[in-house]
Amino acid sequence: MMQGANAYARVARSALTPREAEAAVLLKAAGRLQAFSGQDLSSSAGLNEALMFNQKVWAILAGAVADPANPLPDEIRQNVTNIAVFVFRTIIDAMIEPSARKLDALISLNHHLAAGLQGSPVPSAT
């Protein structure tokens, strides 16, 4: 039975559009950060790993919008780049001095961008 479910999951993943895949990975990164909500962040094992995963996601997004072949309008590309810079700074700050406020900002940005990629004006509650 598990083999069937695994096969279905592989097909479902491969059937995602690029926008859906980007939204899914942003939501995954947000979920990994949300796992630390309400915890003592100064001693949360794995927090830096979740932050680094989020950093990798945003590095890929920033790289994609920096590509001259990217068809997005320049204004949107610049906006995503500016958000990525904020995200990178916040991640570094959170690694040095973790706080719920910093994690909440990263989680919120991921949810809002994912909602936009999914064509929804408001992030879904997850």
Side-chain angles (χ1 to χ4, degrees), residues 4-115:
N6 289 338
Y8 182 81
R10 281 192 303 275
V11 170
R13 279 194 301 269
S14 66
L16 295 176
T17 67
R19 288 176 68 110
E20 290 169 334
E22 290 169 344
V25 77
L26 282 163
L27 292 173
K28 180 178 180 177
R32 290 179 78 168
L33 294 170
Q34 279 179 314
F36 296 96
S37 294
Q39 292 186 20
D40 175 13
L41 298 176
S42 64
S43 64
S44 290
L47 176 59
N48 279 354
E49 184 180 319
L51 289 164
M52 289 184 339
F53 180 78
N54 197 55
Q55 185 177 24
K56 288 176 187 176
V57 169
W58 277 91
I60 292 168
L61 292 173
V65 297
D67 182 353
N70 189 305
L72 288 173
D74 288 344
E75 182 180 4
I76 292 175
R77 292 173 55 196
Q78 186 60 53
N79 288 342
V80 173
T81 299
N82 292 341
I83 294 168
V85 169
F86 172 81
V87 167
F88 296 144
R89 287 180 180 159
T90 304
I91 288 169
I92 291 168
D93 288 346
M95 287 178 168
I96 295 167
E97 191 175 331
S99 75
R101 180 187 56 78
K102 293 170 190 171
L103 292 184
D104 289 345
L106 295 170
I107 293 164
S108 178
L109 282 170
N110 285 5
H111 280 162
H112 279 86
L113 187 57

